[in-house]
Amino acid sequence: MTYSTITNEIPPGATSGDPGRPKILIVGAGLAGLTLGMILQKSDIPYEIFESAPVIRPVGAAMVFGPTLAPMFKQCGIYDEFVALGKKNESINVLNSKGGKEYSVDFSDGKEMFGEDGYILTRPIIYDLIYRQIPKDRIHLGKKILSTDQDSHCVTIRCSDGLEYKGDILVGGDGAYSVVRKNMYSDIEKEGNLPASDSLPLPFRTFCLLGQTRKLDVTEFPDLAKEPCQFFSTLGDDNPYAWSTFTTAQGTIAWGVIEYLPVDATREDKDYRSTDWGPAAALAFCEKVRDLPVKSGGDKILAIGDLIDVTPKEQINKVRLEEKIFETWHHGRTVLIGDGEFLDN
């Protein structure tokens, strides 16, 4: 599923002019930016979303949503569809490398405690659900932000196409290597107020391989017939891996493998080679982890390789997982959300 909405350019102009309804400029059309856009849309607060990619291709495996998020989905009018698209999540079963159960984390009392159950949805599915709540003329693709400025009256963003846009509040939801954060930190550093830790590079100690199979028959993976979601997480005993599988409401298996670098081998962005990224790197990762065992609910012994073989290649991605909590997440009219301000793995 891809998104390549082409909209007319929004006219560069002043803010909303209504002090009770500030105009919000959101940089980044990831889940954080879109979710904020959905909430602003329901609240009748003017906003625009700017995304650097010309086409958005949601990727990833599955996402766990706790019951405390139910009120937001209800207020936005999408809770029933959210439930229909998801699979109830009542537990995480943690296994050892031999498939033996180490322990379980039980969420079955979620409805009693919070009023609703928790659910697991695939990332592309939840992205599409939220994306559909936003008028397409509010999302502007191919908008690479070069610089940002703010003063007592407004905030301004300048794009690589030569256009600039003004608003009352700027929200940086543009990921781990946020341009909004970079510009904001530059201003704070000039003032002499940037904490030393915020100026350090982003460290990472893990790589992650993510995928989602095609729709499977229950004869191929019997656990698909079970309710609730069959969520297994395995910890490697004699290897640097941890891997998880999730059954979905769409009859697919979402899966992920994390590779942990040695403790003394923490890397930074400058250490990341271009060969570590892209389809070839993902396929090389696949070959390293093919033999990791997974539970299917049947008698047949399966491995991650069996899931890889029934996963469309465009649905397999290798990513790095940065780890950092930034001390500074707002300044003046600018605020950061999502990976732009908090990275914890």
Side-chain angles (χ1 to χ4, degrees):
M1 187 180 301
T2 60
Y3 302 84
S4 55
T5 303
I6 299 176
T7 68
N8 295 324
E9 293 291 350
I10 59 174
T15 62
S16 67
D18 183 348
R21 299 172 67 250
K23 184 173 183 178
I24 315 298
L25 306 182
I26 304 170
V27 177
L31 279 172
L34 288 187
T35 300
L36 176 58
M38 174 179 66
I39 294 170
L40 295 174
Q41 179 70 26
K42 295 297 182 181
S43 304
D44 195 28
I45 295 175
Y47 68 96
E48 305 290 343
I49 300 175
F50 302 87
E51 169 58 45
S52 61
V55 176
I56 300 173
R57 183 172 66 92
V59 295
M63 300 185 70
V64 179
F65 295 87
T68 55
L69 285 173
M72 180 192 74
F73 289 121
K74 289 181 179 180
Q75 290 173 34
C76 290
I78 61 172
Y79 184 70
D80 290 344
E81 188 172 2
F82 166 82
V83 170
L85 292 170
K87 207 167 178 90
K88 191 183 300 184
N89 178 37
E90 292 188 350
S91 66
I92 302 175
N93 297 294
V94 180
L95 312 177
N96 56 43
S97 291
K98 296 180 177 59
K101 186 174 179 179
E102 294 286 327
Y103 60 90
S104 291
V105 182
D106 186 7
F107 305 121
S108 60
D109 57 355
K111 189 161 189 174
E112 179 181 349
M113 295 178 64
F114 302 106
E116 296 295 349
D117 293 303
Y119 288 85
I120 285 181
L121 282 78
T122 69
R123 195 177 189 281
I125 287 289
I126 188 64
Y127 187 98
D128 180 68
L129 174 60
I130 296 175
Y131 181 88
R132 287 189 279 108
Q133 311 311 309
I134 300 174
K136 300 309 169 279
D137 60 356
R138 294 292 182 93
I139 303 175
H140 309 280
L141 303 179
K143 288 291 185 179
K144 182 179 180 180
I145 308 302
L146 297 181
S147 65
T148 66
D149 288 312
Q150 60 179 332
D151 55 31
S152 59
H153 301 290
C154 68
V155 63
T156 304
I157 61 174
R158 296 180 179 85
C159 303
S160 59
D161 58 9
L163 294 177
E164 65 177 46
Y165 305 89
K166 297 182 183 294
D168 295 291
I169 298 172
L170 173 62
V171 179
D174 49 339
Y177 298 91
S178 168
V179 173
V180 174
R181 186 183 68 238
K182 180 180 178 181
N183 282 275
M184 185 181 81
Y185 279 12
S186 177
D187 291 340
I188 299 173
E189 191 169 31
K190 291 174 184 176
E191 299 169 2
N193 295 322
L194 186 67
S197 62
D198 283 347
S199 64
L200 297 176
L202 286 180
F204 62 97
R205 293 184 298 169
T206 54
F207 289 113
C208 188
L209 187 70
L210 301 168
Q212 182 184 176
T213 70
R214 61 168 169 76
K215 186 175 181 179
L216 301 177
D217 189 87
V218 293
T219 58
E220 299 175 273
F221 209 96
D223 270 354
L224 283 167
K226 298 178 182 177
E227 291 288 350
C229 172
Q230 299 302 294
F231 180 176
F232 292 101
S233 184
T234 305
L235 306 176
D237 299 322
D238 53 2
N239 60 53
Y241 303 114
W243 57 101
S244 299
T245 59
F246 317 75
T247 56
T248 77
Q250 289 71 42
T252 65
I253 304 298
W255 55 270
V257 181
I258 293 176
E259 178 182 16
Y260 295 92
L261 298 176
V263 175
D264 59 353
T266 297
R267 296 166 66 179
E268 297 176 354
D269 182 49
K270 61 182 176 60
D271 304 315
Y272 199 62
R273 304 181 301 266
S274 59
T275 52
D276 290 328
W277 188 257
L283 292 177
F285 199 152
C286 288
E287 290 306 310
K288 293 197 299 183
V289 300
R290 289 189 63 87
D291 295 333
L292 299 178
V294 298
K295 278 190 174 296
S296 67
D299 296 331
K300 184 179 179 181
I301 298 175
L302 296 181
I304 285 290
D306 295 300
L307 300 183
I308 291 172
D309 291 342
V310 292
T311 298
K313 294 299 180 283
E314 66 274 12
Q315 290 292 329
I316 300 176
N317 289 271
K318 177 185 178 182
V319 299
R320 52 180 167 172
L321 303 178
E322 297 87 352
E323 299 182 9
K324 185 167 183 176
I325 299 175
F326 296 97
E327 291 187 46
T328 311
W329 58 275
H330 64 91
H331 178 66
R333 294 175 174 270
T334 303
V335 62
L336 306 174
I337 61 173
D339 287 348
E341 58 95 14
F342 180 83
L343 297 157
D344 182 24
N345 296 297

